[in-house]
Amino acid sequence: MAQILLLFSLHLLWAQNSDNTDIILSEKQSADLKISNKEPVFVEDGSILKIMQFRGAYKIVTKKSGFTRVYTSKQTWQIYSLKRKDFNYYQKIHALVEKMRGMTTRWSGGCTILSGKLLKLDDLEIIQKAMLGEENESCNNTYKNQLDLDASYLEKLPSYLENVFSQQNVLLPTYNLNSHLKFFIAESDIATYTKRFSNYGFIFVGDKDSISTTPNIETEIIVTEVRKKDLTQIGIGWPSNVEIQVSQKNIETLPFSWNLQAIEESGFGKVLASPKILSVGGKEAEFLAGGEIPLRAMGYKRNEVIWKPYGILLKVLPIVDVQRRLRLKLQIEVSMLDASQKVDGLPGFLTNRIQSEFFIKDNEALVISGLLKEFNSKSTQGLPGLVNIPILGKLFGSEDYQNNKTELVILVRPRIQKQ
């Protein structure tokens, strides 16, 4: 009962005090309170800080990160104890803002908040350049820009924002200036945009009616039959096993200039397939040249037909980062029916599969070879219906391939589509 009365008294004191002061400290940091040690002082949460009498006054020392209040009958101090990394982040912005008219900083909800009025767009540029690469751990490594824009800059704002967002190669979202600048984007894009514009402190709000602005990725695939003696022209030798590598040459300097007609006209190789797959960044795209065979899956209370693909199956998952680099997850499988290996009348499969991940620049190529190293001409001659498999049928029907003069080479080139 006594504790409840004490808490009630503390809240009553806080409500009556109009003079509230914010103090922002780091963990294990101290500060002096300019009050006489004769005046009673109350701490709301003693686990956050301790208070001591020192030379006729009071000193507070923070114990851990958190928020609490210190009361007297005339004043309230709101004490924010921050993690060291967050405190350094706050101090850096605070030091910048102190030199700028109209702006103030405060700490709220784990974030550094810029409030007041933005009188010069140049001030925002100064802050964003200074905070590039800095991290506010408790606020998604950013701050929150809640500045009101001076009326004299309202006409300049659209062109300024267009320039800022175009530098990141993304579209400018819908925004408004009610109280302060807010951008409305698809929920799925909030984390990406917050990270890209962390040094601007822009506030992105999820909007179910907004369309995702993640760029489309066009993945161009060329499946070729290439003479082994010419493989060195694209930076690879005759592989002893599966080999995937990023082309070390500019696309336009490759012997065929990435031109389908030029590949065959130059005698470099035969084009067996040349599909293009368009997908949203972060979404998997799939290319299958072959077919599917029904297999019966049986077990306890289970009797169903599943379809097993065969031929050439290529799955690509392109992800774009803030520097417009591509992280490409690639899975390739070459499989053929093997009638010599049957179980309950169902054929077996000869399969070669590889899965890997690459960082690749926009418009750069992956060169894949050696996928059929294990499938020599002897092992393929006995496979019925082989000539009916798209792409592989053409390859295995080639006299040069049967005589071990050519190799299957797949080239993969992802390109970020302009928005």
Side-chain angles (χ1 to χ4, degrees):
M1 185 68 177
Q3 186 178 10
I4 295 174
L5 289 173
L6 177 59
L7 288 173
F8 178 77
S9 300
L10 290 177
H11 284 286
L12 186 61
L13 276 172
W14 179 47
Q16 290 174 343
N17 291 341
S18 58
D19 189 4
N20 296 331
T21 302
D22 287 355
I23 298 179
I24 299 175
L25 302 171
S26 178
E27 294 174 303
K28 310 295 175 58
Q29 190 177 13
S30 64
D32 294 326
L33 297 183
K34 295 181 180 179
I35 52 176
S36 169
N37 63 357
K38 295 179 181 180
E39 188 170 359
V41 178
F42 302 94
V43 179
E44 188 176 66
D45 187 346
S47 69
I48 303 295
L49 61 81
K50 60 182 177 181
I51 188 164
M52 302 179 295
Q53 290 182 324
F54 184 75
R55 293 181 180 177
Y58 284 104
K59 179 186 286 289
I60 57 173
V61 181
T62 58
K63 297 179 181 179
K64 64 179 183 179
S65 60
F67 169 76
T68 189
R69 299 184 182 93
V70 175
Y71 305 93
T72 68
S73 59
K74 298 178 181 178
Q75 192 171 1
T76 298
W77 288 266
Q78 300 188 131
I79 313 297
Y80 297 87
S81 176
L82 312 186
K83 296 177 182 178
R84 172 58 62 178
K85 203 170 188 179
D86 291 344
F87 180 74
N88 292 339
Y89 186 96
Y90 174 85
Q91 287 291 91
K92 185 165 186 176
I93 290 189
H94 183 72
L96 291 169
V97 168
E98 275 190 321
K99 303 171 185 177
M100 300 172 179
R101 288 193 310 114
M103 280 192 242
T104 58
T105 55
R106 58 188 175 88
W107 181 266
S108 178
C111 295
T112 300
I113 310 293
L114 257 60
S115 54
K117 181 165 284 191
L118 180 64
L119 300 177
K120 295 192 299 182
L121 286 175
D122 289 346
D123 287 346
L124 194 58
E125 287 298 306
I126 291 171
I127 295 171
Q128 72 89 9
K129 288 176 182 177
M131 301 313 295
L132 188 63
E134 299 291 332
E135 295 181 347
N136 180 9
E137 186 178 349
S138 299
C139 192
N140 296 320
N141 296 325
T142 186
Y143 59 96
K144 291 188 177 180
N145 182 343
Q146 294 185 357
L147 295 166
D148 293 326
L149 190 67
D150 187 77
S152 60
Y153 285 98
L154 290 178
E155 291 185 4
K156 298 179 182 179
L157 183 64
S159 59
Y160 169 77
L161 293 177
E162 283 283 359
N163 181 59
V164 168
F165 279 78
S166 65
Q167 288 175 7
Q168 291 290 334
N169 298 296
V170 293
L171 295 173
L172 174 62
T174 303
Y175 64 91
N176 69 29
L177 289 169
N178 293 337
S179 71
H180 54 264
L181 187 61
K182 289 182 181 178
F183 298 90
F184 298 93
I185 60 175
E187 290 277 0
S188 57
D189 288 341
I190 289 179
T192 299
Y193 270 70
T194 300
K195 183 176 180 180
R196 288 194 181 199
F197 297 95
S198 62
N199 53 322
Y200 281 93
F202 290 150
I203 297 173
F204 297 99
V205 180
D207 179 16
K208 64 180 182 179
D209 295 324
S210 294
I211 299 173
S212 175
T213 55
T214 303
N216 290 331
I217 310 296
E218 181 187 76
T219 304
E220 186 176 5
I221 301 167
I222 297 183
V223 184
T224 60
E225 178 189 357
V226 179
R227 294 192 304 261
K228 291 182 180 179
K229 66 178 183 178
D230 291 333
L231 286 176
T232 55
Q233 297 183 56
I234 52 177
I236 60 176
W238 170 231
S240 59
N241 49 30
V242 179
E243 180 175 317
I244 303 179
Q245 65 181 56
V246 179
S247 171
Q248 299 301 310
K249 296 184 178 182
N250 183 284
I251 291 298
E252 301 308 323
T253 64
L254 289 176
F256 44 82
S257 300
W258 206 272
N259 181 289
L260 299 181
Q261 184 178 356
I263 292 177
E264 296 192 336
E265 287 182 352
S266 65
F268 179 78
K270 296 178 183 178
V271 177
L272 304 178
S274 57
K276 292 181 180 180
I277 305 173
L278 192 64
S279 61
V280 176
K283 301 294 183 181
E284 186 177 73
E286 182 178 304
F287 164 68
L288 172 65
E292 292 183 313
I293 183 172
L295 302 175
R296 186 169 296 280
M298 301 183 68
Y300 180 68
K301 292 186 177 181
R302 184 185 181 195
N303 186 357
E304 60 181 321
V305 174
I306 60 174
W307 292 86
K308 165 70 177 176
Y310 65 93
I312 296 179
L313 175 63
L314 188 148
K315 295 180 180 181
V316 290
L317 176 60
I319 302 172
V320 187
D321 71 7
V322 293
Q323 281 81 38
R324 284 177 69 82
R325 295 179 305 172
L326 285 161
R327 189 169 86 240
L328 192 69
K329 293 183 179 181
L330 184 69
Q331 179 179 325
I332 300 178
E333 179 181 299
V334 177
S335 59
M336 292 176 287
L337 300 177
D338 184 3
S340 65
Q341 302 290 331
K342 287 187 176 182
V343 177
D344 295 332
L346 297 174
F349 287 86
L350 293 172
T351 302
N352 202 345
R353 182 186 300 113
I354 188 169
Q355 182 172 334
S356 193
E357 188 171 330
F358 304 86
F359 274 105
I360 184 170
K361 295 178 183 177
D362 183 25
N363 213 32
E364 204 168 39
L366 286 176
V367 182
I368 305 139
S369 60
L371 284 165
L372 300 180
K373 186 66 179 176
E374 297 177 7
F375 303 145
N376 55 42
S377 58
K378 291 182 180 179
S379 67
T380 58
Q381 287 173 359
L383 298 180
L386 189 61
V387 293
N388 296 322
I389 301 176
I391 301 179
L392 292 178
K394 290 182 183 179
L395 180 68
F396 292 133
S398 165
E399 186 176 336
D400 286 339
Y401 181 78
Q402 292 178 12
N403 292 327
N404 207 27
K405 293 180 180 179
T406 57
E407 159 69 357
L408 179 73
V409 175
I410 300 176
L411 301 112
V412 179
R413 176 174 66 167
R415 290 184 291 185
I416 302 172
Q417 298 292 289
K418 293 183 179 180
Q419 296 181 323

PDB file of all heavy atoms in Angstrom, residues 381-396:
ATOM      1  N   GLN A 381      23.677 -43.125 -76.008  1.00  0.00           N
ATOM      2  CA  GLN A 381      23.180 -43.803 -77.206  1.00  0.00           C
ATOM      3  C   GLN A 381      22.054 -44.789 -76.884  1.00  0.00           C
ATOM      4  O   GLN A 381      21.180 -45.029 -77.694  1.00  0.00           O
ATOM      5  CB  GLN A 381      24.330 -44.534 -77.905  1.00  0.00           C
ATOM      6  CG  GLN A 381      25.275 -43.572 -78.617  1.00  0.00           C
ATOM      7  CD  GLN A 381      26.503 -44.277 -79.169  1.00  0.00           C
ATOM      8  OE1 GLN A 381      26.662 -45.488 -79.012  1.00  0.00           O
ATOM      9  NE2 GLN A 381      27.372 -43.508 -79.831  1.00  0.00           N
ATOM     10  N   GLY A 382      22.079 -45.332 -75.668  1.00  0.00           N
ATOM     11  CA  GLY A 382      21.073 -46.332 -75.316  1.00  0.00           C
ATOM     12  C   GLY A 382      19.827 -45.763 -74.690  1.00  0.00           C
ATOM     13  O   GLY A 382      18.995 -46.523 -74.217  1.00  0.00           O
ATOM     14  N   LEU A 383      19.718 -44.431 -74.639  1.00  0.00           N
ATOM     15  CA  LEU A 383      18.551 -43.815 -74.014  1.00  0.00           C
ATOM     16  C   LEU A 383      17.461 -43.599 -75.057  1.00  0.00           C
ATOM     17  O   LEU A 383      17.611 -42.783 -75.976  1.00  0.00           O
ATOM     18  CB  LEU A 383      18.940 -42.478 -73.374  1.00  0.00           C
ATOM     19  CG  LEU A 383      19.977 -42.569 -72.259  1.00  0.00           C
ATOM     20  CD1 LEU A 383      20.291 -41.186 -71.712  1.00  0.00           C
ATOM     21  CD2 LEU A 383      19.504 -43.482 -71.138  1.00  0.00           C
ATOM     22  N   PRO A 384      16.352 -44.299 -74.951  1.00  0.00           N
ATOM     23  CA  PRO A 384      15.289 -44.163 -75.959  1.00  0.00           C
ATOM     24  C   PRO A 384      14.625 -42.791 -75.886  1.00  0.00           C
ATOM     25  O   PRO A 384      14.468 -42.223 -74.811  1.00  0.00           O
ATOM     26  CB  PRO A 384      14.308 -45.279 -75.571  1.00  0.00           C
ATOM     27  CG  PRO A 384      14.540 -45.500 -74.107  1.00  0.00           C
ATOM     28  CD  PRO A 384      15.998 -45.259 -73.893  1.00  0.00           C
ATOM     29  N   GLY A 385      14.247 -42.282 -77.047  1.00  0.00           N
ATOM     30  CA  GLY A 385      13.521 -41.018 -77.098  1.00  0.00           C
ATOM     31  C   GLY A 385      14.370 -39.803 -76.794  1.00  0.00           C
ATOM     32  O   GLY A 385      13.839 -38.719 -76.571  1.00  0.00           O
ATOM     33  N   LEU A 386      15.699 -39.977 -76.802  1.00  0.00           N
ATOM     34  CA  LEU A 386      16.583 -38.868 -76.443  1.00  0.00           C
ATOM     35  C   LEU A 386      16.447 -37.698 -77.403  1.00  0.00           C
ATOM     36  O   LEU A 386      16.489 -36.537 -76.993  1.00  0.00           O
ATOM     37  CB  LEU A 386      18.028 -39.349 -76.394  1.00  0.00           C
ATOM     38  CG  LEU A 386      19.063 -38.378 -75.840  1.00  0.00           C
ATOM     39  CD1 LEU A 386      18.738 -38.035 -74.394  1.00  0.00           C
ATOM     40  CD2 LEU A 386      20.461 -38.970 -75.944  1.00  0.00           C
ATOM     41  N   VAL A 387      16.267 -38.006 -78.695  1.00  0.00           N
ATOM     42  CA  VAL A 387      16.197 -36.936 -79.692  1.00  0.00           C
ATOM     43  C   VAL A 387      14.948 -36.087 -79.522  1.00  0.00           C
ATOM     44  O   VAL A 387      14.845 -34.995 -80.084  1.00  0.00           O
ATOM     45  CB  VAL A 387      16.229 -37.511 -81.131  1.00  0.00           C
ATOM     46  CG1 VAL A 387      17.577 -38.149 -81.420  1.00  0.00           C
ATOM     47  CG2 VAL A 387      15.098 -38.528 -81.324  1.00  0.00           C
ATOM     48  N   ASN A 388      13.982 -36.567 -78.740  1.00  0.00           N
ATOM     49  CA  ASN A 388      12.745 -35.817 -78.537  1.00  0.00           C
ATOM     50  C   ASN A 388      12.840 -34.826 -77.389  1.00  0.00           C
ATOM     51  O   ASN A 388      11.921 -34.022 -77.166  1.00  0.00           O
ATOM     52  CB  ASN A 388      11.583 -36.778 -78.266  1.00  0.00           C
ATOM     53  CG  ASN A 388      11.305 -37.686 -79.458  1.00  0.00           C
ATOM     54  OD1 ASN A 388      11.401 -37.242 -80.605  1.00  0.00           O
ATOM     55  ND2 ASN A 388      10.977 -38.941 -79.186  1.00  0.00           N
ATOM     56  N   ILE A 389      13.952 -34.877 -76.626  1.00  0.00           N
ATOM     57  CA  ILE A 389      14.115 -33.927 -75.527  1.00  0.00           C
ATOM     58  C   ILE A 389      14.568 -32.589 -76.091  1.00  0.00           C
ATOM     59  O   ILE A 389      15.582 -32.527 -76.793  1.00  0.00           O
ATOM     60  CB  ILE A 389      15.160 -34.432 -74.508  1.00  0.00           C
ATOM     61  CG1 ILE A 389      14.737 -35.783 -73.929  1.00  0.00           C
ATOM     62  CG2 ILE A 389      15.346 -33.421 -73.385  1.00  0.00           C
ATOM     63  CD1 ILE A 389      15.762 -36.378 -72.986  1.00  0.00           C
ATOM     64  N   PRO A 390      13.852 -31.499 -75.829  1.00  0.00           N
ATOM     65  CA  PRO A 390      14.274 -30.192 -76.337  1.00  0.00           C
ATOM     66  C   PRO A 390      15.701 -29.872 -75.899  1.00  0.00           C
ATOM     67  O   PRO A 390      16.117 -30.179 -74.781  1.00  0.00           O
ATOM     68  CB  PRO A 390      13.270 -29.225 -75.688  1.00  0.00           C
ATOM     69  CG  PRO A 390      12.079 -30.065 -75.396  1.00  0.00           C
ATOM     70  CD  PRO A 390      12.602 -31.431 -75.065  1.00  0.00           C
ATOM     71  N   ILE A 391      16.450 -29.268 -76.775  1.00  0.00           N
ATOM     72  CA  ILE A 391      17.834 -28.834 -76.565  1.00  0.00           C
ATOM     73  C   ILE A 391      18.781 -30.021 -76.486  1.00  0.00           C
ATOM     74  O   ILE A 391      19.697 -30.156 -77.300  1.00  0.00           O
ATOM     75  CB  ILE A 391      18.005 -27.953 -75.309  1.00  0.00           C
ATOM     76  CG1 ILE A 391      17.128 -26.703 -75.437  1.00  0.00           C
ATOM     77  CG2 ILE A 391      19.465 -27.549 -75.123  1.00  0.00           C
ATOM     78  CD1 ILE A 391      17.214 -25.786 -74.235  1.00  0.00           C
ATOM     79  N   LEU A 392      18.588 -30.916 -75.515  1.00  0.00           N
ATOM     80  CA  LEU A 392      19.496 -32.044 -75.371  1.00  0.00           C
ATOM     81  C   LEU A 392      19.413 -32.973 -76.578  1.00  0.00           C
ATOM     82  O   LEU A 392      20.418 -33.564 -76.990  1.00  0.00           O
ATOM     83  CB  LEU A 392      19.188 -32.822 -74.094  1.00  0.00           C
ATOM     84  CG  LEU A 392      19.492 -32.099 -72.773  1.00  0.00           C
ATOM     85  CD1 LEU A 392      19.105 -32.968 -71.583  1.00  0.00           C
ATOM     86  CD2 LEU A 392      20.967 -31.729 -72.693  1.00  0.00           C
ATOM     87  N   GLY A 393      18.216 -33.107 -77.145  1.00  0.00           N
ATOM     88  CA  GLY A 393      18.060 -33.944 -78.334  1.00  0.00           C
ATOM     89  C   GLY A 393      18.895 -33.411 -79.487  1.00  0.00           C
ATOM     90  O   GLY A 393      19.554 -34.175 -80.198  1.00  0.00           O
ATOM     91  N   LYS A 394      18.901 -32.087 -79.666  1.00  0.00           N
ATOM     92  CA  LYS A 394      19.724 -31.479 -80.721  1.00  0.00           C
ATOM     93  C   LYS A 394      21.207 -31.720 -80.464  1.00  0.00           C
ATOM     94  O   LYS A 394      21.979 -32.025 -81.363  1.00  0.00           O
ATOM     95  CB  LYS A 394      19.473 -29.968 -80.785  1.00  0.00           C
ATOM     96  CG  LYS A 394      18.120 -29.556 -81.297  1.00  0.00           C
ATOM     97  CD  LYS A 394      18.049 -28.028 -81.347  1.00  0.00           C
ATOM     98  CE  LYS A 394      16.686 -27.540 -81.782  1.00  0.00           C
ATOM     99  NZ  LYS A 394      16.629 -26.045 -81.798  1.00  0.00           N
ATOM    100  N   LEU A 395      21.576 -31.559 -79.185  1.00  0.00           N
ATOM    101  CA  LEU A 395      22.989 -31.682 -78.839  1.00  0.00           C
ATOM    102  C   LEU A 395      23.479 -33.109 -79.052  1.00  0.00           C
ATOM    103  O   LEU A 395      24.512 -33.344 -79.697  1.00  0.00           O
ATOM    104  CB  LEU A 395      23.201 -31.269 -77.381  1.00  0.00           C
ATOM    105  CG  LEU A 395      24.647 -31.357 -76.882  1.00  0.00           C
ATOM    106  CD1 LEU A 395      25.524 -30.312 -77.558  1.00  0.00           C
ATOM    107  CD2 LEU A 395      24.702 -31.171 -75.367  1.00  0.00           C
ATOM    108  N   PHE A 396      22.736 -34.094 -78.528  1.00  0.00           N
ATOM    109  CA  PHE A 396      23.193 -35.473 -78.625  1.00  0.00           C
ATOM    110  C   PHE A 396      23.077 -36.012 -80.053  1.00  0.00           C
ATOM    111  O   PHE A 396      23.706 -37.008 -80.393  1.00  0.00           O
ATOM    112  CB  PHE A 396      22.415 -36.357 -77.658  1.00  0.00           C
ATOM    113  CG  PHE A 396      22.705 -36.067 -76.210  1.00  0.00           C
ATOM    114  CD1 PHE A 396      21.681 -35.935 -75.293  1.00  0.00           C
ATOM    115  CD2 PHE A 396      24.008 -35.924 -75.774  1.00  0.00           C
ATOM    116  CE1 PHE A 396      21.947 -35.664 -73.959  1.00  0.00           C
ATOM    117  CE2 PHE A 396      24.282 -35.662 -74.442  1.00  0.00           C
ATOM    118  CZ  PHE A 396      23.257 -35.533 -73.531  1.00  0.00           C
TER     119      PHE A 396
END
